[in-house]
Amino acid sequence: QQQRILEAWDSGRVGANETTTISTLIWGRLDGNADATLALSFAEACSLGATLVSSLTERLLANGAIVRSRLVRALARAEDIEILAQRCRDKIADAPNLAVPDPRQLGDVPVGLGEQSAFVVRLDALERALDEAALRFSAPLREREELRAVMGAYLDMAGQRGVAENEGVVAAERRARGVLWSAPCDLCAARELVAALQVEVRSVSVNERGAH
């Protein structure tokens, strides 16, 4: 349609007939196989095209902003997980041998929509890897706290039953405490020692009740 308008313009040599032709080309319905109810004039088609370009541009910019926001959050989270990982390595023997994913390796968020889609796929994978790293490094620290809590609960039980000063209980507590409050903590040994304390408290409690 644009080419037909240029031909009618004829380098500026426009008469009454050419003006009529150009007007018809601009405001008349576009030819084609489209449904007649959807036919547009050339001017309308240009306006619609500009609107679509503007809409797509806005969508692209908005999508890019969202992706950049996710990348910034991933960078901050990776730093937090790195701190967690270092704490786990310092406090727990045989800490997970796992590197914390580095979002910087993804590079900058691309401009094109297709490139952004591929970038998001990689970002999704990186976020899942960060979730896994956070879980792996937090689990041993959480277990150490849980073992300490169990130990405390059995010492409270020993106190309530009047066996906290029992030689066997005191010795079992000392061994468990020596491992649970050491760094790096051997969780395997800690599990066994807390279990031994449980057995000792229960056994002594039963013996004390039998003695009475």
Side-chain angles (χ1 to χ4, degrees):
Q1 196 80 352
Q2 181 182 14
Q3 182 60 37
R4 294 171 65 188
I5 292 173
L6 291 175
E7 291 174 357
W9 184 260
D10 191 22
S11 300
R13 294 187 294 273
V14 180
N17 291 336
E18 288 80 8
T19 300
T20 300
T21 299
I22 292 172
S23 178
T24 300
L25 289 171
I26 292 176
W27 296 108
R29 312 320 271 178
L30 293 175
D31 293 334
N33 297 322
D35 191 322
T37 60
L38 299 178
L40 301 172
S41 69
F42 180 68
E44 290 168 340
C46 290
S47 177
L48 178 60
T51 300
L52 288 174
V53 170
S54 177
S55 177
L56 289 173
T57 300
E58 290 177 2
R59 179 182 175 187
L60 185 60
L61 292 174
N63 187 66
I66 292 171
V67 175
R68 279 190 290 274
S69 178
R70 286 180 58 187
L71 181 59
V72 169
R73 289 197 299 271
L75 286 165
R77 186 156 185 244
E79 291 179 359
D80 290 341
I81 296 174
E82 189 60 65
I83 293 172
L84 172 67
Q86 189 57 53
R87 182 166 179 263
C88 184
R89 296 183 189 110
D90 292 341
K91 301 297 183 182
I92 305 296
D94 296 324
N97 184 19
L98 179 69
V100 178
D102 186 359
R104 293 174 297 183
Q105 294 182 353
L106 294 179
D108 297 328
V109 178
V111 176
L113 189 58
E115 292 83 357
Q116 282 183 7
S117 296
F119 186 91
V120 167
V121 171
R122 298 196 301 273
L123 181 56
D124 288 341
L126 181 133
E127 289 173 336
R128 290 192 295 270
L130 287 174
D131 290 340
E132 178 66 17
L135 179 63
R136 293 276 298 277
F137 285 116
S138 64
L141 293 168
R142 184 170 57 252
E143 182 180 4
R144 184 187 64 163
E145 295 308 309
E146 290 171 351
L147 287 170
R148 288 178 175 182
V150 170
M151 176 180 166
Y154 272 87
L155 290 176
D156 288 343
M157 179 188 293
Q160 293 168 5
R161 295 180 177 180
V163 297
E165 302 302 322
N166 177 274
E167 183 178 342
V169 172
V170 171
E173 176 193 356
R174 183 171 59 251
R175 289 191 293 269
R177 189 177 297 277
V179 173
L180 273 173
W181 271 266
S182 65
C185 173
D186 184 340
L187 286 177
C188 290
R191 293 186 205 108
E192 295 176 359
L193 291 171
V194 170
L197 174 63
Q198 295 173 355
V199 171
E200 189 67 27
V201 170
R202 288 172 175 168
S203 176
V204 171
S205 297
V206 170
N207 292 336
E208 285 292 325
R209 286 198 296 270
H212 292 293

